[in-house]
């Protein structure tokens, strides 16, 4: 029987099959402006006497999928805390951040960050009636979702959620956007 040897790890980036390197791909897509949202969910409680910990993640890979039924999609890095949580917790929420909420986006995007409990500490939030997840006060819009489908896609998972509630808590200001590696305002 022929045995194959596992490939040896390489230190330099492996170009995509079509010849596009990771750096070229990132540079090209950094030219695409994206809205910024905070994805939140409540971890199931450890026992029947308490609430679970709130978890949050800044996302720019978020979009509307369908009007009928109302579906949205968020892309989560495989193995991330939010990916692991949404694999077991079907209810989650989205807060569409406004231009004055850059500090929230930055806080939940940090690598090697502190506990989620401390991240939420001084951020005004309401608890979603359906999801139990935190909804950021002053967000331009909030959505509560139930996972309909998880689609593996390379090093990410696309989570498609049915919108089960939507509200417009704030009409003040414009959206927070992300362009060329920085948070921006329109105009």
């Amino acid at each position: 029987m022929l045995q194959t040897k596992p490939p040896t790890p390489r230190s330099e980036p492996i170009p995509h099959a079509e010849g596009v390197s990771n750096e070229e791909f990132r540079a090209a897509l950094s030219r695409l402006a994206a809205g910024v949202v905070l994805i939140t969910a409540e971890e199931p409680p450890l026992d029947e006497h308490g609430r679970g910990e709130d978890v949050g993640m800044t996302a720019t890979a978020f979009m509307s999928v369908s009007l009928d039924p109302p579906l949205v999609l968020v892309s989560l890095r495989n193995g991330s805390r939010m990916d692991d949580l949404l694999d077991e917790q079907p209810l989650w929420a989205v807060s569409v951040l406004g231009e004055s909420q850059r500090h929230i986006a930055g806080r939940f995007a940090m690598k090697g960050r502190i506990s989620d409990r401390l991240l939420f500490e001084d951020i005004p939030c309401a608890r979603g009636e359906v999801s139990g997840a935190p909804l950021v006060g002053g967000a331009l819009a909030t959505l509560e979702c139930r996972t309909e489908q998880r689609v593996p896609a390379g090093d990410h998972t696309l989570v498609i959620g049915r919108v089960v509630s939507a509200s417009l808590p704030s009409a003040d200001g414009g959206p927070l956007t992300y362009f060329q590696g920085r948070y921006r305002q329109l105009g």
Side-chain angles (χ1 to χ4, degrees), residues 33-55:
V36 182
V37 301
L38 185 68
I39 306 294
T40 57
E42 182 185 23
E43 253 181 350
L46 295 175
D47 61 34
E48 68 278 356
H49 302 294
R51 295 198 70 87
E53 185 174 27
D54 293 328
V55 177

Side-chain angles (χ1 to χ4, degrees), residues 39-41 43 53-57 81-82 85 113 116 120:
I39 306 294
T40 57
E43 253 181 350
E53 185 174 27
D54 293 328
V55 177
M57 179 198 94
R81 182 162 185 208
M82 189 61 72
L85 176 56
R113 61 190 203 193
D116 283 87
F120 280 104

Side-chain angles (χ1 to χ4, degrees), residues 4-19:
T4 59
K5 205 170 157 184
T8 8
R10 296 172 51 163
S11 58
E12 70 272 0
I14 300 169
H16 293 235
E18 294 79 26

Side-chain angles (χ1 to χ4, degrees), residues 8-32:
T8 8
R10 296 172 51 163
S11 58
E12 70 272 0
I14 300 169
H16 293 235
E18 294 79 26
V20 177
S21 72
N22 290 346
E23 291 76 24
E24 291 167 324
F25 183 69
R26 278 192 199 104
L29 291 187
S30 76
R31 307 296 178 156
L32 176 65

Side-chain angles (χ1 to χ4, degrees), residues 24 58 84 88 100 116 125 129 169 174:
E24 291 167 324
T58 301
D84 291 344
E88 64 182 65
S100 66
D116 283 87
C125 291
E129 288 183 27

